[in-house]
Amino acid sequence: MDMILRVFGVIRVRRLLLFVTFGVVFTAVITGSYIRKPTYESNALLLVKLDQRSVSISRSDVQYSVAHTMAVEVITSQAEILGSQTLIEGVVNELGPETFNPTPLPSEYKIVELLKGAIKSTKNGFNSILVALGLKFEIDPHYTLVKRVRRNLKIFAVRKAQIIELSFRDKNPEIPKKVLDTLIKLYIEQTQAMKEQSESYRFYSGQTKELKKKLAQAERDFSDFQIKYSIVDLGEEKRSIQEKRNKLVVMLGDSNPISDADDSLNSMGAGAISSIIDPQTKKFKAQLIGLKTERSKLLITYSKSHQKIKAIDSQIDLLEKYLKEEKEALTVRAAAYNKRLALLTKIEPEYNNLSRDVTSWQEAYNVYGKVSEDRNLARKQPSGINLRIVDPPIVPFEPLAPSRLMLITIGFLFSWMFALGTIIFVEFFWTVADKTTRERDSKSENPDTSEGAGSTDVAVKPSGIEPVDSK
């Protein structure tokens, strides 16, 4: 009872501070409740049906458990897809930044517009300073909107049901419905595209079969062309023939022109004209030179009719005959090389075209075969997704709780409690300060008084509190 009387005494003495504190705090609460924009929320319910084509409809417990687990996993997966980064960015791109940040209508009061402009300029300037000092990083406005949508979007897969619940909150009551409508639309388009991929298997399968036929025909044409001209690798054969021809030209010398061979040489294959040049040719030439030198020396001593001269002449005739025949053979061989090289050069464009046809048809067949295989795997998936909008999103009629009236009521009570606590704190502070001052003054007036004697209890009563009559 004594404590209550003390509190009322404090309130009576500090009533001015009480009402001033209450007025300031309650004014701040009212101002904040009007400045604070209400938040609006829109909700939607999606029914995701699982068409289980490959799951038996038997009542077996095992099959039911598998089907149920599969359905739960599919619903959870679809909920994750709805909240994916791709779909959220698609929502932001389709709605545009002007939807999320509309240009506010000018206020009727100029002072309000001036205050808004000053606050905005101050905020932008402060952010620029933080960015310049490296204390804050400048973020792309697009990703700021993406982050805002992701933060305000809630997706929840209802337990033990094929229902996905979506909700979105924003200060603008028009935005939640637009966001949810756009998100659902993009999700349906994505699901439909996945279905079309699985249903396009027949088209890609047919294209793969046609490409396989064209590839087989191109390979047959190329193989027939190689057999006709006895070609395995045209480029490698040309390089080999050029090397062999250059060796023959060096052996024959520039003074011995290469004559053209018969046209029948064109029908010779690479094996027929790729014989190795006789390594004994150079040896025989050296022997011939040696014999002629020896003959010249013998002519100094003997006549041409001498037996030794005749023997050397016989050997020289045999070597010259062999070298002449060898030279004629090399000339014919070089001519065959030229003919073959000319033929290969002539048919090279057609050879390259046929080779390119085989390569291009092979690449096209591989691409369509891979796509056809992917579509076939998608077609054989054990389930299909059918989406139905059970509860479409609507424009919210009223903001989320707490309402402005509730905030003002709570603020009213809080203001009184804060003001009461303030005056009690102030009174306690001044009481302690007054007690400390009196003790210090008492010690200064009685310096010889011991500390124990000076500890006499002194009742300190707050100013304005009347003593209570014990009677």
Side-chain angles (χ1 to χ4, degrees), residues 28-87:
V29 169
I30 294 176
T31 304
S33 63
Y34 276 92
I35 292 177
R36 173 184 173 273
K37 293 183 179 180
T39 302
Y40 296 88
E41 183 182 64
S42 183
N43 299 281
L45 292 179
L46 303 181
L47 173 62
V48 181
K49 297 182 65 178
L50 183 63
D51 294 337
Q52 299 171 356
R53 296 190 295 268
S54 62
V55 177
S56 174
I57 60 175
S58 171
R59 294 184 180 274
S60 171
D61 294 337
V62 176
Q63 292 178 352
Y64 174 78
S65 176
V66 172
H68 177 70
T69 302
M70 185 182 301
V72 172
E73 291 177 352
V74 170
I75 301 303
T76 305
S77 301
Q78 298 308 309
E80 293 295 330
I81 293 175
L82 277 166
S84 63
Q85 182 77 10
T86 303
L87 287 181

Side-chain angles (χ1 to χ4, degrees), residues 108-121:
E108 298 179 357
Y109 305 99
K110 293 184 178 180
I111 187 170
V112 175
E113 290 296 321
L114 292 175
L115 288 174
K116 288 183 179 179
I119 294 173
K120 184 177 181 180
S121 301

Side-chain angles (χ1 to χ4, degrees), residues 358-422:
V358 172
T359 303
S360 61
W361 288 122
Q362 181 68 50
E363 292 178 352
Y365 172 74
N366 292 337
V367 171
Y368 273 81
K370 182 64 171 61
V371 175
S372 176
E373 183 180 355
D374 294 341
R375 298 298 188 271
N376 189 30
L377 291 176
R379 184 175 63 90
K380 291 181 179 181
Q381 290 298 316
S383 63
I385 303 298
N386 288 326
L387 182 68
R388 179 183 175 187
I389 303 175
V390 178
D391 189 6
I394 61 174
V395 177
F397 297 103
E398 57 183 15
L400 297 174
S403 63
R404 183 173 295 169
L405 177 60
M406 181 64 69
L407 290 176
I408 293 176
T409 303
I410 296 173
F412 178 81
L413 298 176
F414 172 77
S415 300
W416 278 117
M417 293 174 64
F418 184 82
L420 184 60
T422 301

Side-chain angles (χ1 to χ4, degrees), residues 116 123 136 164 173 175 188 192 236 285 299 333 373 380 405 428 464 466:
K116 288 183 179 179
K123 181 180 178 181
K136 183 179 180 180
I164 297 178
I175 292 180
I188 293 175
Q192 187 64 30
E236 182 63 24
K285 285 184 177 181
L299 285 175
R333 192 179 303 168
E373 183 180 355
K380 291 181 179 181
L405 177 60
F428 174 78
E466 299 294 335

